[in-house]
Amino acid sequence: MEKIYQQALLYDFYGELLTEHQRGIYEDAVCNDLSLGEIAQDRGISRQGVHDLIRRCDRLLLGYESKLRLVEKFVNAREKVAKILELTREPGQGADSLPEIHRLAEELLEQL
């Protein structure tokens, strides 16, 4: 499940950088959960061709992420916002949480 989540995130961020043909097949495999055989039959190509294209797309998307780090920054920011929300929801924390909230907010701003 973790791999599918990672593939979906990478596709959300970098999918537009793939060709229309690559996007269609990758979306069928990752987002629509079609089997290689189903995609091959729908597209009129071999199952091996679908498999190779999906692996090539995975490498391309991971390459974009290694250079741009957009997914990493997004996940990091999401975790910090979740922590801030957690700190603000705890009853009785009040002023005790402010330094931690301030630190997390500064880290978020530095990422932008």
Side-chain angles (χ1 to χ4, degrees):
M1 185 61 138
E2 178 67 29
K3 181 180 179 184
I4 292 172
Y5 177 71
Q6 180 188 25
Q7 286 176 311
L9 267 178
L10 289 169
Y11 181 75
D12 285 346
F13 277 84
Y14 306 113
E16 290 298 315
L17 299 173
L18 300 175
T19 67
E20 187 176 328
H21 178 71
Q22 289 171 328
R23 269 195 316 271
I25 291 176
Y26 198 79
E27 194 171 298
D28 281 347
V30 174
C31 301
N32 300 331
D33 199 29
L34 297 179
S35 70
L36 298 179
E38 290 171 320
I39 298 168
Q41 187 175 11
D42 289 348
R43 303 284 177 155
I45 58 177
S46 71
R47 187 180 175 283
Q48 183 64 46
V50 172
H51 178 266
D52 291 345
L53 189 120
I54 292 169
R55 292 191 64 193
R56 190 175 323 119
C57 289
D58 280 336
R59 283 193 303 273
L60 283 169
L61 296 174
L62 285 169
Y64 295 138
E65 175 60 13
S66 72
K67 290 176 179 76
L68 301 172
R69 299 274 187 226
L70 296 177
V71 174
E72 179 184 315
K73 291 174 185 176
F74 169 77
V75 169
N76 191 348
R78 191 173 177 180
E79 289 170 355
K80 287 178 179 155
V81 169
K83 181 66 176 172
I84 289 171
L85 288 173
E86 178 186 320
L87 289 169
T88 58
R89 286 186 181 137
E90 291 179 16
Q93 287 294 330
D96 296 339
S97 297
L98 286 178
E100 178 71 4
I101 292 169
H102 184 77
R103 183 187 64 76
L104 290 168
E106 284 181 342
E107 288 177 11
L108 280 170
L109 286 173
E110 287 174 10
Q111 285 182 343
L112 301 176

